[in-house]
Amino acid sequence: MQTIPVSTIFQGTGLSTGEMALIETVFEEIRVKKGDVILHAGQLVPSQYYVFNGCLRTYYLTEGGKDITIQFAISDWWISDYTVFFTGGKALLNIECVQDAVIYKISKDSMEALYPQIPQIESFFRIKMERFFASFQKRILSNLAMSAKEKYKTFLKTYPNIEASIKNYHLASYLGITPESLSRLRAELAHE
């Protein structure tokens, strides 16, 4: 039987041993390999995922086939198609593993069933979602107001250990630039 690292996932929540044991029953460990897609656009989105290690990305495919990276999720981050996770319907985004990972899946139904039993869990997820929302809002503002160079430097600060593990076009799409522009940026920064 796998042991879910509940004390790591919910660090600082003051859970009792019994509460941790209950939480452990609703998580599922999944080991994913680079290139695996755990969510395809058009599927239902009943779950979210905690990234224990590795790296995943959410991306959107336009009607013309353009791949736009929305988010990278590294160790201790959560990932899902949150618009659909919270409102229902079918996925708009895809989730792909870009670096071998161990993730833990919890369904929305299981989360909501835990809330009345363990109130700290509802508070934990509310705080996580507030931070997630703030992070996305900062990202939108940076896309609107920052130069490509500033966005790239911010990316390097936010994700210091994954640049070498991801494809150039994933990073370029995340930054909203072409792979050629990314190459020029790297060369320019190397000479600073």
Side-chain angles (χ1 to χ4, degrees):
M1 174 117 178
Q2 65 199 16
T3 302
I4 309 299
V6 173
S7 61
T8 300
I9 296 171
F10 297 99
Q11 189 172 6
T13 56
L15 297 170
S16 70
T17 304
E19 290 167 333
M20 286 195 277
L22 177 60
I23 292 167
E24 197 169 290
T25 67
V26 298
F27 272 90
E28 176 187 348
E29 179 182 287
I30 303 171
R31 293 177 181 272
V32 287
K33 296 285 184 196
K34 182 177 181 175
D36 289 351
V37 177
I38 63 168
L39 179 69
H40 294 274
Q43 292 180 324
L44 296 176
V45 185
S47 303
Q48 67 173 330
Y49 306 87
Y50 172 82
V51 180
F52 184 69
N53 61 39
C55 180
L56 289 90
R57 74 178 183 115
T58 55
Y59 66 98
Y60 177 74
L61 278 177
T62 67
E63 285 184 22
K66 184 178 178 186
D67 174 325
I68 302 169
T69 299
I70 306 298
Q71 175 196 4
F72 289 102
I74 55 176
S75 181
D76 197 34
W77 289 35
W78 292 82
I79 193 167
S80 189
D81 182 337
Y82 284 109
T83 300
V84 179
F85 179 73
F86 289 118
T87 62
K90 302 219 173 160
L92 305 170
L93 305 174
N94 303 278
I95 301 176
E96 176 187 28
C97 180
V98 294
Q99 192 178 70
D100 289 0
V102 175
I103 59 176
Y104 293 93
K105 176 171 97 170
I106 183 171
S107 72
K108 185 176 184 207
D109 290 343
S110 293
M111 277 176 39
E112 290 178 354
L114 285 175
Y115 292 164
Q117 297 175 66
I118 310 171
Q120 307 95 294
I121 294 300
E122 186 168 19
S123 176
F124 172 85
F125 280 115
R126 178 186 50 78
I127 291 166
K128 286 289 182 188
M129 286 300 108
E130 288 170 357
R131 290 180 182 157
F132 183 77
F133 179 78
S135 173
F136 260 52
Q137 193 168 44
K138 285 179 185 175
R139 176 141 187 267
I140 290 167
L141 289 171
S142 75
N143 277 348
L144 295 171
M146 289 178 148
S147 69
K149 184 189 232 179
E150 291 169 319
K151 288 190 274 189
Y152 180 58
K153 285 181 173 181
T154 299
F155 173 85
L156 293 175
K157 191 188 307 181
T158 305
Y159 302 101
N161 301 316
I162 68 166
E163 183 184 17
S165 306
I166 59 177
K167 294 176 181 171
N168 284 342
Y169 66 87
H170 292 163
L171 176 53
S173 77
Y174 178 82
L175 297 172
I177 61 176
T178 65
E180 296 77 20
S181 295
L182 177 60
S183 294
R184 283 192 298 275
L185 250 177
R186 285 178 170 152
E188 182 183 318
L189 289 171
H191 290 98
E192 283 187 357

